[in-house]
Amino acid sequence: MSNVLRVLKWLWQMKLALQRLLVVLSGLAITILIFVQVTSRYVFQTAIFGIEEIACYVAVWLYFLGAAVGAEQRGHMSASLVELVLRGETARRVIRLLVCALSVVLCAWMTMWAWSLAKWSLQLGMMSTEINVPVGYAQLAMPVGLALMTLYFFVELVELIVNWKRSPASHA
């Protein structure tokens, strides 16, 4: 069993490393694309056809993979006024649990919706206006990023439940 856990942990780490690498490469690609376009426009007085569209496609992937990285690192934003108002640790834990469960449900629902949208675009053969690339390629970033977010919020939910059962504060 420990070999299986080691393999699963290794796969998890490789997925995280690949995801972070794609975020860094996407950010770098957008920076280079915009720099090239600005340089060509203002230095050489010519525009490179389609570069903005490519940058937009890459940006969509960057945003959704970046959001998934934020969910994995638990760096997502939250309006935690409720936690400030509530006095007891049990009440705070209940709110965290409810927020996390709601995040799982919403991300799962949006993943299905985004998958339907991307699939529909690909089936219709919708093409981009400048570079004639399927629009569905950019839209696939949504279900991929949202599925990763669903996974990370689910892992967080499981950890909250397990920690609640182990913690002596849960009996207070």
Side-chain angles (χ1 to χ4, degrees):
M1 186 67 156
S2 77
N3 285 339
V4 172
L5 289 177
R6 245 182 277 150
V7 169
L8 288 175
K9 188 173 182 176
W10 180 82
L11 287 171
W12 183 268
Q13 293 302 321
M14 289 298 103
K15 176 195 58 65
L16 290 177
L18 176 63
Q19 184 179 338
R20 290 178 183 143
L21 176 66
L22 289 173
V23 167
V24 169
L25 291 176
S26 297
L28 192 60
I30 291 169
T31 303
I32 291 169
L33 288 167
I34 298 303
F35 176 78
V36 167
Q37 185 69 331
V38 168
T39 303
S40 71
R41 238 182 226 178
Y42 294 104
V43 174
F44 302 110
Q45 279 73 42
T46 186
I48 300 173
F49 185 74
I51 206 163
E52 290 97 350
E53 196 168 274
I54 295 168
C56 284
Y57 269 38
V58 175
V60 171
W61 278 95
L62 171 67
Y63 300 151
F64 279 93
L65 289 177
V69 168
E72 184 269 325
Q73 294 177 349
R74 298 185 184 157
H76 44 275
M77 295 173 40
S78 73
S80 56
L81 287 175
V82 174
E83 288 186 19
L84 292 174
V85 172
L86 296 176
R87 298 282 182 229
E89 182 61 27
T90 302
R92 288 184 189 147
R93 287 181 177 194
V94 168
I95 293 299
R96 276 189 236 128
L97 196 72
L98 289 173
V99 167
C100 198
L102 184 61
S103 296
V104 171
V105 170
L106 286 175
C107 282
W109 174 74
M110 289 182 354
T111 300
M112 292 185 296
W113 176 83
W115 171 248
S116 297
L117 174 68
K119 189 171 80 171
W120 177 73
S121 293
L122 289 169
Q123 287 172 342
L124 283 180
M126 295 172 67
M127 304 300 271
S128 66
T129 54
E130 291 183 19
I131 58 173
N132 206 30
V133 172
V135 173
Y137 289 173
Q139 291 174 339
L140 281 172
M142 292 186 290
V144 169
L146 287 163
L148 288 169
M149 290 172 69
T150 303
L151 173 66
Y152 297 141
F153 284 129
F154 181 75
V155 167
E156 183 178 357
L157 179 64
V158 170
E159 287 176 2
L160 285 171
I161 292 168
V162 168
N163 289 337
W164 184 317
K165 289 184 177 187
R166 289 184 183 165
S167 172
S170 67
H171 304 295

